[in-house]
Amino acid sequence: MADPKSVFIVAAERSGDHLGAGLIRALRDAAGDGVRLAGVGGDAMAGEGIESAVDTSGLSILGLFDGLKAYGRVKAKVAETVAEILRVKPDAVVLIDSWGFMLRVAQGVRAADPSIRLIKYVGPQVFATRPGRAKTLANTVDHLMTILSFDAPYYEPHGLPVTFVGNPTLDRLPTGDGAAFRERHGLAQDQEIMLVLLGSRTSEIRRLWKSFEGAVKSLTGARPNLQPVFIMAAPVEDLVRPRLEAGGWMIVREDEKADAFAAADVALACSGTVVTELATAGVPTVTGYRLGWMTWAVLRLLRVMKAPFISLVNIAAGRMLVPEFVQTQCQPRQLSQSVSGLLDDPERRKALSEELVAATRQLRGEGDASRRAAETVISLL
């Protein structure tokens, strides 16, 4: 009997940690004792029995200047991660998302031991910004597993093999029970429900809080039948919960997310994966985002942003299905007016719901994305 192959999985952020956990389950299902697993990650991967030798907390960083401030910490974590990989000496390393961190880990491993196969899982969004990263990635890793159907043409010209596996995050979304959610929380079946999702990074809360808070206050003041429901992201609960409780607003945790999606009339959400999740569930959504002002100024000055939209669902559809309010446009008045427009037009909401579901089909791929990712890893071994 052949010796089992060894796979080392690295995830530096919460979303990557969940992708890693799904991949671990799928690898075990597909290969059983034929694969040995180790890795660096968070709670989700730990729940699958992968104890991380490196503490990845504090690596959820977004923006140029936040990255510069965290440079020393990130550099140290990269060194620890590379050292752990070299100690384990796996046949392959799967590096999930987190462009800057994973690039440095890949470069460190490649320099020390070129025999280890490097697989990137989720590529940088070169269709939107910094297309030169495609060549950099092609020169650093052996294969890219992408969650976006339109990624391959950006990477393959540089000689990087690409496999589209689909988006496991969207596979995980169960069908919710909206009526049960309303009954559980004492909400009438005809009451308007607006979900509010503030993001899962401290920096996002800090930059979006006033705009979102102002929009919610304006909307509830003008619409007595409107119930805002804040869905709490676990990583920022300690920061956000006191603010929400002080405002007397309704809070639910993420384990109620599917039911809340099914009950919602509209959503106001921080730009990110959750916007795609809401679209997959057919929830008409308004999204906002703010970067640090210095980062934003540099991006504007260098004209780094290439995509016409920031939301994947809009990019997939080729048009603005989810209204976007970015930086100076992310103001209470603009957000509240956009949400009101949706609430005032039930027919538009119904049509938009159907369009959102259709637009996200290509983002989901053929389904069971973690299984497809596992099969890709096994084939590369």
Side-chain angles (χ1 to χ4, degrees):
M1 182 177 177
D3 291 335
K5 295 293 186 179
S6 173
V7 178
F8 195 102
I9 299 169
V10 185
E13 293 188 277
R14 184 169 179 258
S15 58
D17 185 36
H18 284 281
L19 292 183
L23 178 59
I24 290 163
R25 290 190 294 272
L27 283 168
R28 286 176 176 151
D29 287 343
D33 294 335
V35 64
R36 290 186 291 109
L37 300 172
V40 164
D43 292 341
M45 286 174 55
E48 299 299 326
I50 303 299
E51 294 300 325
S52 179
V54 178
D55 179 6
T56 60
S57 61
L59 291 178
S60 184
I61 300 161
L62 193 66
L64 173 63
F65 290 92
D66 284 349
L68 289 174
K69 288 188 287 186
Y71 177 75
R73 181 172 72 252
V74 171
K75 184 177 179 181
K77 299 294 185 182
V78 167
E80 290 178 40
T81 302
V82 171
E84 182 65 11
I85 292 170
L86 297 176
R87 184 189 69 79
V88 173
K89 196 174 171 54
D91 295 289
V93 177
V94 180
L95 304 156
I96 305 177
D97 210 353
S98 302
W99 164 250
F101 183 85
M102 297 304 171
L103 176 66
R104 287 163 178 78
V105 171
Q107 290 170 336
V109 173
R110 176 67 24 108
D113 190 343
S115 71
I116 297 175
R117 187 173 290 271
L118 300 176
I119 304 165
K120 186 72 172 68
Y121 188 5
V122 185
Q125 294 182 352
V126 294
F127 58 85
T129 179
R130 303 180 191 179
R133 289 178 170 182
K135 183 177 181 180
T136 300
L137 188 64
N139 291 335
T140 309
V141 304
D142 300 296
H143 200 94
L144 170 63
M145 300 191 300
T146 177
I147 64 173
L148 300 175
S149 59
F150 46 81
D151 258 347
Y154 294 93
Y155 294 96
E156 289 176 339
H158 301 289
L160 180 62
V162 177
T163 301
F164 169 56
V165 298
N167 192 330
T169 302
L170 305 183
D171 286 343
R172 291 197 300 264
L173 290 175
T175 301
D177 188 334
F181 181 86
R182 288 174 179 270
E183 183 177 355
R184 191 160 62 242
H185 293 285
L187 302 173
Q189 294 302 315
D190 63 349
Q191 187 163 9
E192 293 178 329
I193 293 179
M194 174 182 66
L195 304 183
V196 186
L197 302 104
L198 289 158
S200 59
R201 293 181 174 96
T202 300
S203 60
E204 290 170 339
I205 304 301
R206 187 173 69 248
R207 292 171 185 148
L208 290 175
W209 172 256
K210 287 186 178 180
S211 294
F212 276 42
E213 178 192 38
V216 173
K217 286 182 176 179
S218 175
L219 285 160
T220 53
R223 310 181 78 95
N225 193 43
L226 178 65
Q227 175 63 59
V229 177
F230 287 78
I231 300 181
M232 181 76 64
V236 293
E237 182 169 355
D238 290 345
L239 173 63
V240 176
R241 183 174 286 279
R243 301 185 186 195
L244 299 182
E245 289 178 344
W249 284 324
M250 180 177 166
I251 309 166
V252 299
R253 305 190 76 165
E254 288 182 301
D255 57 3
E256 289 197 77
K257 187 161 69 174
D259 287 350
F261 283 12
D265 294 291
V266 294
L268 174 61
C270 171
S271 179
T273 302
V274 75
V275 173
T276 310
E277 292 178 340
L278 287 160
T280 302
V283 182
T285 300
V286 173
T287 188
Y289 206 78
R290 286 179 180 270
L291 288 166
W293 284 109
M294 292 296 288
T295 300
W296 176 253
V298 170
L299 292 177
R300 290 292 300 273
L301 179 66
L302 299 180
R303 299 184 179 181
V304 170
M305 298 300 295
K306 306 297 182 184
F309 310 112
I310 63 170
S311 302
L312 286 179
V313 64
N314 288 339
I315 293 169
R319 56 201 175 93
M320 187 82 80
L321 296 180
V322 177
E324 300 175 348
F325 297 90
V326 182
Q327 213 64 17
T328 56
Q329 296 300 309
C330 187
Q331 302 290 344
R333 182 169 174 269
Q334 285 92 325
L335 295 172
S336 62
Q337 285 181 342
S338 187
V339 172
S340 282
L342 291 172
L343 289 169
D344 288 337
D345 192 342
E347 290 302 315
R348 179 186 169 202
R349 290 205 310 274
K350 181 180 178 182
L352 184 56
S353 178
E354 294 172 357
E355 291 179 276
L356 290 169
V357 172
T360 55
R361 285 199 186 104
Q362 66 172 294
L363 296 176
R364 291 198 297 276
E366 296 178 8
D368 207 358
S370 291
R371 176 186 58 78
R372 289 163 60 83
E375 289 172 350
T376 302
V377 172
I378 291 168
S379 73
L380 293 171
L381 293 172

